[in-house]
Each structure stands twice: as C-alpha cells, then as structure tokens.
Amino acid sequence: MTSNESTTVVTARVEDFDDFVHGRGRALLRFAFVLSGDAHLAEDLVQEVLAKMHRRWHKVTAMDSPEAYVRTAIVRQFVSWRRRRSAREAILAEVPEPPGPDEPQDRVLARDQMWQLMSGLPRSQRAVLVLRFYCDLPDDEIAALLGCGQSTVRSQAARALAKMRTMLSERGVGGDG
C-alpha cells in the first residue's frame, strides 16, 4: 500500500466516524443522560467512550450494529464509574408543598422525584431500569448488554423497584407504583 492509499483509508475512517458522531451523537447523549441523570456526566461518558471507539472505529464498523456496540460501551462505562465524586452527590432540595392535581407542575415534580429515586440506586440497578423502561429492551437483550444472566436482570429490576417504593413510602409520597 502506498503512502497516498493509506492516507485515503485513514481519511475515510475519520469521515465515517465523524458522520456517525454527527448523526447519532445527540441520541447517545440523551441515552447517557437518562442513565446518569446529569448532563455533564452524560457528556463525559459519551466523550470517553467515543474517544476509545475512534482508535478502533474500523473494527467497530465491521460489526453488525456499531451503535448498539457504542451504547453497550456507554452502559459499561457508566456502571464502572464508581470512583466519580459526582456519583456520591445527592440532591437535597425539598419541595415546599405538592401542586394541585391538574397543574402543569405535576409532570416536572414527578420527573424530579424520579431522578431523585434513580440517583439513590446502585448503578447496575439504574442501568437495568433505564434499559428496560426507557429503551424498552427485553431481559435477554439487557442481559447481553450488561454481560449477565436474564435472572440477574430480573432480580436487579425487582430490587430497584422495591427500593424505590421503600424510598417513596419513607418520604410519605403515595402512589400505585
């Protein structure tokens, strides 16, 4: 291979990677945001994973689904970030009083409560819930993404939901959930 040919191949790989990032970057950021609950942490997750993927993009694109591979890498990176200080931060703001039943603030309050509940879960349980309820994936696909068994996925989801219910009842928040 001549120098011009190798330069052309490298340029094509960079353009393929750039096209992927421009086309799917926002979706990957949304996915990471739902996992982490923090916009800055989501950006860090996606940036770190894409930096790793860039070095071997030609291998990633040779796979059946490059985006699925990148999402799997994001989930694994998120679950493994135990050393991050932001993982130990807690939201302490109190809601003064609940809004009326048909007020627009209900959705905002419910979303904020959900983020608080999700932030109290271990990362693996949070990843299972996001993949199940946000990405609407079946247990076998979640198990494949996380590298565990389907029974582990089901038990993690059950434990996460039970913990969320306990946290809700401790706060005195009612619900049918």
Side-chain angles (χ1 to χ4, degrees):
M1 183 180 282
T2 67
S3 176
N4 287 341
E5 289 174 345
S6 65
T7 304
T8 304
V9 170
V10 170
T11 304
R13 286 185 198 150
V14 170
E15 288 174 1
D16 288 346
F17 181 78
D18 289 346
D19 290 343
F20 175 80
V21 171
H22 288 296
R24 300 303 303 153
R26 293 185 67 73
L28 293 172
L29 273 173
R30 281 191 305 271
F31 176 70
F33 177 77
V34 171
L35 275 175
S36 66
D38 180 274
H40 300 292
L41 182 58
E43 289 173 356
D44 290 346
L45 279 167
V46 172
Q47 180 178 351
E48 190 159 325
V49 167
L50 288 176
K52 290 177 184 177
M53 295 295 142
H54 184 265
R55 288 181 282 223
R56 59 182 192 272
W57 189 244
H58 63 284
K59 291 180 182 178
V60 175
T61 55
M63 298 176 184
D64 290 337
S65 178
E67 184 172 354
Y69 184 79
V70 173
R71 283 180 185 256
T72 300
I74 289 170
V75 169
R76 289 186 177 162
Q77 185 71 30
F78 169 73
V79 171
S80 72
W81 272 8
R82 297 191 196 321
R83 66 188 184 281
R84 287 272 195 201
R85 193 180 106 213
S86 63
R88 294 185 298 267
E89 292 176 356
I91 300 170
L92 300 175
E94 294 288 326
V95 178
E97 63 182 63
D102 292 329
E103 295 186 37
Q105 302 93 309
D106 282 342
R107 286 184 282 169
V108 173
L109 178 60
R111 186 190 67 214
D112 289 345
Q113 286 175 337
M114 184 60 62
W115 282 122
Q116 288 178 357
L117 291 172
M118 293 285 282
S119 69
L121 296 175
R123 290 177 178 270
S124 57
Q125 290 179 1
R126 191 182 328 174
V128 166
L129 292 184
V130 168
L131 292 169
R132 179 180 275 179
F133 296 110
Y134 179 76
C135 296
D136 201 26
L137 295 178
D139 290 345
D140 59 332
E141 290 182 34
I142 296 171
L145 278 170
L146 297 177
C148 62
Q150 291 183 40
S151 59
T152 303
V153 170
R154 289 190 292 273
S155 67
Q156 290 286 329
R159 287 184 186 131
L161 293 173
K163 185 172 182 178
M164 290 172 77
R165 285 185 193 104
T166 302
M167 291 178 354
L168 278 173
S169 67
E170 288 172 354
R171 293 178 184 177
V173 177
D176 59 5

